[in-house]
Amino acid sequence: MYKAKIWVTLRQGILDPAGQAVQKGLHSQGFGGVRDVRMGKFMELVLDATSEREAAGLVRETCERLLVNPVMEDYTFTLEVHG
Amino acid sequence: MYKAKIWVTLRQGILDPAGQAVQKGLHSQGFGGVRDVRMGKFMELVLDATSEREAAGLVRETCERLLVNPVMEDYTFTLEVHG
């Protein structure tokens, strides 16, 4: 089995209202030194795969089919042997 | 300036209904090899700080005051010089 760690981030140029809300919240709490906030997702998947190549294929397929919106988001991932 | 990359994950033992929903969705799409899914957050902050030490202090303070729920979540972060 493999564990995949997947980062999903908004593409550059895509507006991030959640990030702006967090930044505003931080400013109102006195954290004026926070210049920019971008929010993303982080997912950990445990995969039943017999090789790293198979696991990587599964991650790409799940990301492209369900987990990531390719119009607005980018993703990167790492794999490690699990269990 | 520094850029902080922050990963927020649910603590072990904390139920993850969003992760379960994603896993169910993947199974119903034919991805039966996905054994476990845990959802987390990923945030990128640009910080006005003059040293890595100052930036790290700012990240810890913002996480503990606003960005992370210490009862349910853990966080880790990395820092890099930005701009």
Side-chain angles (χ1 to χ4, degrees), chain A residues 60-68, chain B residues 29-31:
Chain A
R60 281 193 200 98
E61 231 188 314
T62 56
C63 282
E64 279 151 36
R65 288 269 297 277
L66 202 83
L67 303 176
V68 176
Chain B
Q29 296 278 316
F31 297 106

Side-chain angles (χ1 to χ4, degrees), chain A residues 11-23:
Chain A
R11 294 196 162 195
Q12 257 199 322
I14 300 282
L15 202 70
D16 182 358
Q20 290 175 343
V22 168
Q23 188 182 3

Side-chain angles (χ1 to χ4, degrees), chain A residues 1 7-9 22 25-26 29-49 58 61-62 65-67, chain B residues 1 7-9 22 25-26 29-49 58 61-62 65-67:
Chain A
M1 294 215 283
W7 293 256
V8 182
T9 50
V22 168
L26 287 169
Q29 295 279 314
F31 296 108
V34 179
R35 290 302 177 91
D36 189 39
V37 178
R38 300 284 283 175
M39 302 296 284
K41 284 177 283 184
F42 176 62
M43 294 178 274
E44 290 174 301
L45 269 60
V46 175
L47 304 167
D48 214 354
L58 200 52
E61 231 188 314
T62 56
R65 288 269 297 277
L66 202 83
L67 303 176
Chain B
M1 296 214 283
W7 290 258
V8 182
T9 51
V22 169
L26 288 169
Q29 296 278 316
F31 297 106
V34 178
R35 291 301 179 89
D36 189 39
V37 178
R38 301 282 284 174
M39 302 296 285
K41 284 177 284 184
F42 176 62
M43 294 178 274
E44 291 173 299
L45 269 60
V46 174
L47 304 166
D48 214 354
L58 199 52
E61 231 187 314
T62 55
R65 290 268 297 277
L66 201 84
L67 303 177

Side-chain angles (χ1 to χ4, degrees), chain B residues 3 5 13 19 31 41 57-58 60 65 67 74 76 82:
Chain B
K3 179 182 268 192
K5 296 184 177 189
F31 297 106
K41 284 177 284 184
L58 199 52
R60 282 193 200 98
R65 290 268 297 277
L67 303 177
D74 285 319
T76 50
H82 179 78

